[in-house]
Amino acid sequence: MKHLLLVLSCLVSLPCLADGYIRGPTRVAQGQIETYYVDWPSPPHNQSIVSWSVYRGTLLSGDRGSATVQWDSAEGTEDLVGSLDVYEDIGGQSASIGVDLLNTATSESSFCDGIMGPAAVTMDFGSGANPGPPLPAGATTYEYNSICAISPNQYTRTNSSVNCRGPWHGIPEDHTPGDTNGYFLMVDADDHPGEFYRTTVNGLTPAFKYEFSAWVGNLDRNGTYEVPRIRFVIYGPSGFVASSGDIVIQPTSPFQWQKVGFMFDLPPGVTSVDVALVNRNQNNSGNDLVIDDISFAPCYPPIIASFQNGGVVDRSHTCNNGAVQLHAWWPSTIPFATPAYQWQRSPDNGGSWANIPGSTTLHASHSEPTAGIFQYRMLSYEASNPSRSVVSNPLTYFVQRLVVTPRTHHLYACNGGITSGQLPVSYQLEYRDPSIPRTYSTTWSPATYLNNPNVNPTYIVLPSLGASPPPNGPPVPAVNYVYSVTVTDNVHGCSGSGQQIVAQHNPRKVAVPSAFTPNGDGLNDLFRPLNLDDYPGSRFYIYNRWGQVIFSSQGPTLLDYSWNGKFNGVDQGTGTYVWRIEMSDCFGNIINGSTGDNRPSGTVTLIR
């Protein structure tokens, strides 16, 4: 339609206009309310319709010249990217603007509380005479300047900030003790998102947490300017993985190096990431900092546990029951003169732990006779002083169970025809590992009357049961076909079976009278849709004159479908009431006493 209107406007000699321009902030805090203005190439026609649309925000108001938007907020610490679009239909004018939505949540630094392994990445920026060389291409988004009196969006590599700028600390050396002429990174952060430093890390082990840290300092000597805000961000092959919140670098007097960092878990299967130290400021006033000794290293538990001897495997899977081998070792020196060992087990995700009897060596075996999710850990302690102890990382054992829900599928031979329908199977893999994608296969037995016994849902076509019984005759018992269905998890081979009954009904028509007399004389005291119990799962409703539901039932018996003329135990007065039926199948099989046709609703007269 937009293009059609534009073509028509050109044909009638109206100006064919270029896109307009939206004015407003393009870098805002999440949850913030902002107003934007559109500059049209030409004023919109009096009869034109101007429409605004927003992505990742809520349009609070919009007219021909402006719009007010409340931008969305993300859970956690992730930033978002939103957009605002406007379109004027007669002239075909449009405009768009992209908006970075900053998550301004702050966080405290977190560090490894176990044993640091060899760093996968270290960056001390080298050493030498001033000025130091620029960083390699791609390592930063800031511009290199060899002069130490740098400006916003610039950095230099230097071993001293003495006499660089009057308001700055004069830092005579880098953070690393004994690093003669050691360089540090000096940055004048600006009001745009930028990366102080980025690098790629390979060969990671997902079983461990990692610490991403750096030593930083606020250059502001007097504490009068905007404080730097930085964030640690991790990117995997598929994009964003994790980040810290904004870490604020407070001024110190005299100058002090401050360690900042955060801990995170690698997603399953990820062995390579990009790590970045990111600017989070939104103005140019201040934000001056120094950075040194960036490190990215694994954090080992004090003692390591694994399902595999010599390599860390912290998850194992089986079906119904099974046994596992438990292994533990020290990542570094043993902290006890006489270490003792005890494997422990938790059935409630680490909520409680109990000793496993007899499992008092570094290597042990354990069996689980029933399904569930269980965790194990190694407790080690000084034999002569058990209060001195350490515990390992937890291991998780998924003893899975596939349960197929037994079910009766009700199918109906409406008006004596053939019976057909889908047969969906309900199942659940209990105690599964949610990090592993799943596919399942299904097998029906026997395959009689099924179009394909190896799909879910399958489709069945049953032979005719003959003519429908008369409405005033006795019910015809359902014909039951019994099947067994086996569902198999294609990842670990867990399987389960359940009985599936296909009940083929040859139902009578439902007859609904037009009046009843609930006076207790034993004659016509109940109002009921006769034969509705031939259709299991059907619903019956009755409403008073104000549209209030005063009776409802889903059966399954005819007595359950019967109304005695009361509401909340109180007799209802003489008058007309509305009824409605929701039939589970054969929707036209109704004899409506109030309308004379097969409509599923009508009226009934209550007579006292």
Side-chain angles (χ1 to χ4, degrees):
M1 179 61 73
K2 173 181 176 180
H3 298 98
L4 176 60
L5 290 172
L6 182 59
V7 170
L8 291 175
S9 67
C10 294
L11 291 176
V12 296
S13 299
L14 290 175
C16 295
L17 303 171
D19 285 347
Y21 175 73
I22 296 178
R23 291 180 286 111
T26 58
R27 195 166 185 238
V28 303
Q30 294 180 10
Q32 198 162 313
I33 297 175
E34 298 288 352
T35 299
Y36 295 83
Y37 302 90
V38 57
D39 295 330
W40 297 112
S42 181
H45 190 276
N46 291 336
Q47 303 300 318
S48 65
I49 297 175
V50 174
S51 56
W52 293 85
S53 62
V54 62
Y55 172 63
R56 283 186 166 156
T58 301
L59 185 66
L60 301 180
S61 65
D63 54 30
R64 300 164 71 83
S66 66
T68 300
V69 176
Q70 180 169 22
W71 295 106
D72 289 346
S73 296
E75 295 182 2
T77 60
E78 189 173 1
D79 291 338
L80 301 173
V81 177
S83 63
L84 180 65
D85 300 273
V86 62
Y87 173 64
E88 182 265 318
D89 62 345
I90 292 182
Q93 304 178 93
S94 63
S96 299
I97 189 173
V99 181
D100 292 324
L101 309 178
L102 300 182
N103 190 322
T104 58
T106 60
S107 68
E108 298 294 328
S109 292
S110 58
F111 305 107
C112 177
D113 58 1
I115 298 172
M116 293 293 293
V121 165
T122 57
M123 184 58 178
D124 64 4
F125 299 105
S127 61
N130 287 331
L135 295 173
T140 182
T141 61
Y142 280 76
E143 299 175 0
Y144 173 73
N145 189 337
S146 61
I147 301 172
C148 71
I150 52 178
S151 299
N153 196 41
Q154 293 183 343
Y155 78 95
T156 192
R157 219 170 178 180
T158 182
N159 58 36
S160 171
S161 67
V162 176
N163 297 323
C164 288
R165 275 193 186 164
W168 287 359
H169 284 292
I171 307 170
E173 59 185 4
D174 73 354
H175 162 260
T176 310
D179 187 7
T180 306
N181 292 327
Y183 291 135
F184 52 85
L185 201 67
M186 188 161 61
V187 184
D188 190 339
D190 63 1
D191 60 349
H192 292 85
E195 295 179 353
F196 301 132
Y197 186 75
R198 174 191 277 247
T199 191
T200 300
V201 189
N202 297 309
L204 304 179
T205 304
F208 297 125
K209 286 182 176 292
Y210 278 83
E211 178 189 286
F212 186 14
S213 64
W215 287 88
V216 300
N218 189 328
L219 275 170
D220 182 6
R221 185 178 62 189
N222 301 312
T224 57
Y225 297 104
E226 182 76 15
V227 295
R229 296 166 67 98
I230 66 175
R231 178 173 287 192
F232 296 88
V233 186
I234 312 297
Y235 301 96
S238 301
F240 176 85
V241 170
S243 79
S244 68
D246 290 356
I247 298 175
V248 179
I249 313 302
Q250 298 292 349
T252 58
S253 182
F255 174 82
Q256 292 180 0
W257 287 98
Q258 307 168 48
K259 186 180 180 181
V260 294
F262 94 114
M263 301 291 299
F264 77 100
D265 293 299
L266 282 177
V270 174
T271 59
S272 176
V273 296
D274 276 11
V275 296
L277 195 59
V278 179
N279 173 41
R280 299 292 296 174
N281 288 102
Q282 300 181 55
N283 64 64
N284 286 324
S285 177
N287 312 321
D288 308 319
L289 71 157
V290 289
I291 304 170
D292 198 13
D293 291 333
I294 296 174
S295 176
F296 186 85
C299 177
Y300 295 93
I303 185 170
I304 297 174
S306 175
F307 288 118
Q308 176 180 305
N309 190 16
V312 177
V313 177
D314 64 353
R315 294 181 177 220
S316 186
H317 310 81
T318 190
C319 305
N320 301 318
N321 57 73
V324 286
Q325 299 298 312
L326 306 174
H327 305 276
W329 64 89
W330 298 98
S332 59
T333 58
I334 301 175
F336 307 125
T338 308
Y341 303 102
Q342 175 64 64
W343 283 100
Q344 296 184 320
R345 172 183 179 273
S346 173
D348 53 7
N349 196 32
S352 61
W353 293 90
N355 294 340
I356 300 176
S359 298
T360 56
T361 59
L362 286 172
H363 307 282
S365 61
H366 181 72
S367 298
E368 295 292 351
T370 60
I373 299 176
F374 307 97
Q375 288 190 312
Y376 314 105
R377 71 182 186 185
M378 166 59 78
L379 169 70
S380 180
Y381 55 93
E382 173 59 59
S384 61
N385 184 7
S387 64
R388 292 183 55 204
S389 63
V390 295
V391 293
S392 71
N393 55 298
L395 308 177
T396 305
Y397 191 29
F398 297 89
V399 185
Q400 304 160 116
R401 178 174 62 199
L402 205 153
V403 176
V404 178
T405 305
R407 179 177 176 183
T408 297
H409 305 263
H410 297 280
L411 299 179
Y412 301 86
C414 305
N415 297 316
I418 63 171
T419 309
S420 63
Q422 286 189 332
L423 305 177
V425 180
S426 298
Y427 59 89
Q428 180 181 6
L429 181 61
E430 297 178 337
Y431 313 115
R432 62 181 292 264
D433 184 345
S435 68
I436 299 179
R438 302 284 175 162
T439 60
Y440 299 89
S441 57
T442 306
T443 302
W444 287 72
S445 178
T448 310
Y449 303 124
L450 305 178
N451 69 327
N452 186 341
N454 300 312
V455 296
N456 181 29
T458 190
Y459 194 81
I460 191 170
V461 179
L462 297 172
S464 172
L465 294 177
S468 297
N472 57 352
V476 175
V479 177
N480 293 327
Y481 300 86
V482 180
Y483 295 87
S484 176
V485 173
T486 300
V487 179
T488 302
D489 159 37
N490 296 328
V491 176
H492 292 114
C494 299
S495 65
S497 298
Q499 187 181 78
Q500 306 287 299
I501 297 175
V502 180
Q504 184 185 20
H505 299 270
N506 194 8
R508 300 164 293 178
K509 285 191 175 183
V510 175
V512 187
S514 59
F516 75 122
T517 57
N519 54 16
D521 64 358
L523 300 174
N524 204 27
D525 284 334
L526 300 174
F527 173 57
R528 56 180 67 179
L530 300 174
N531 306 330
L532 189 58
D533 51 327
D534 283 13
Y535 305 82
S538 297
R539 296 176 181 269
F540 183 48
Y541 302 90
I542 297 172
Y543 306 83
N544 61 21
R545 70 178 69 182
W546 298 281
Q548 181 182 17
V549 177
I550 59 175
F551 176 81
S552 65
S553 176
Q554 198 175 352
T557 68
L558 183 58
L559 183 60
D560 294 321
Y561 286 121
S562 302
W563 183 43
N564 62 4
K566 297 178 183 290
F567 177 51
N568 289 336
V570 178
D571 288 338
Q572 300 300 289
T574 297
T576 300
Y577 296 82
V578 174
W579 59 266
R580 180 171 63 89
I581 290 175
E582 293 178 358
M583 292 181 65
S584 55
D585 206 337
C586 305
F587 310 112
N589 277 15
I590 295 177
I591 301 172
N592 189 322
S594 63
T595 63
D597 54 23
N598 65 347
R599 275 182 279 184
S601 62
T603 60
V604 61
T605 301
L606 188 157
I607 303 172
R608 292 197 182 273

